[in-house]
Amino acid sequence: MKKICSTLFLLVPFFLSGITVAQGLKFGIGGGLSAFSNGNSNYSYSAGAHVGVKLKLDIPMVPITPVGFINYHFLSGKYSYSGLSATYTQKILSYGVGAEYTLLPGLVRPYLAVDFGINNIGEGSLSTPIGTYKTEPSKTRSGIDIGVGTEIKIP
């Protein structure tokens, strides 16, 4: 019994050091489509593009992954009023920290995400045949973001 306890006492630090060494920071760039609806005005966005960077702290054998992110959204939409059509554009810088919970292991890994995010919403711009007008001042909003995603690992 004494040999078993001594052996475990000596091996546990090696296992713990192996786990801490295996932790890693992952950095990625990406992009995609952003689908927003603006309920505070009469403008409606079509899907816009976004680009971003993401940082993950990968902890082995733990299904929760801490993350940090920065995204830049390019939004535009059509607007029509009294026969006058126009294009509405706006840009949003989003950044924050959060956690992702991996649902299934493997090469295709769906996850649930909860983040605290800050959004710097740029001025709105309305382009008409007559001219271009600033419609809304820039503002900053913060809050909790909840979402789902899929990570695809390339071996």
Side-chain angles (χ1 to χ4, degrees):
M1 183 69 178
K2 194 174 193 179
K3 286 184 181 182
I4 293 172
C5 288
S6 297
T7 304
L8 287 176
F9 183 74
L10 291 173
L11 289 179
V12 166
F14 289 109
F15 289 129
L16 292 177
S17 67
I19 289 172
T20 58
V21 169
Q23 293 177 4
L25 288 175
K26 293 181 179 180
F27 174 80
I29 58 173
L33 293 177
S34 302
F36 288 94
S37 64
N38 188 350
N40 296 334
S41 69
N42 295 327
Y43 307 117
S44 62
Y45 300 117
S46 53
H50 71 268
V51 295
V53 295
K54 191 173 200 177
L55 183 69
K56 289 185 171 189
L57 176 61
D58 191 24
I59 304 171
M61 300 177 60
V62 176
I64 296 176
T65 304
V67 297
F69 63 90
I70 300 173
N71 290 317
Y72 195 73
H73 304 269
F74 306 92
L75 303 175
S76 66
K78 300 290 184 191
Y79 178 70
S80 173
Y81 181 75
S82 298
L84 177 69
S85 64
T87 302
Y88 184 73
T89 59
Q90 194 165 30
K91 295 176 177 64
I92 301 174
L93 175 66
S94 301
Y95 51 94
V97 295
E100 296 175 354
Y101 178 75
T102 303
L103 299 172
L104 297 172
L107 295 178
V108 178
R109 300 169 49 167
Y111 61 84
L112 301 174
V114 176
D115 303 314
F116 174 75
I118 298 173
N119 298 302
N120 292 326
I121 304 166
E123 290 182 331
S125 177
L126 188 65
S127 298
T128 68
I130 301 168
T132 301
Y133 306 97
K134 301 295 181 191
T135 59
E136 297 179 35
S138 61
K139 55 189 164 253
T140 301
R141 301 273 192 253
S142 61
I144 302 294
D145 306 325
I146 300 172
V148 296
T150 302
E151 179 180 353
I152 300 172
K153 288 191 165 196
I154 300 173

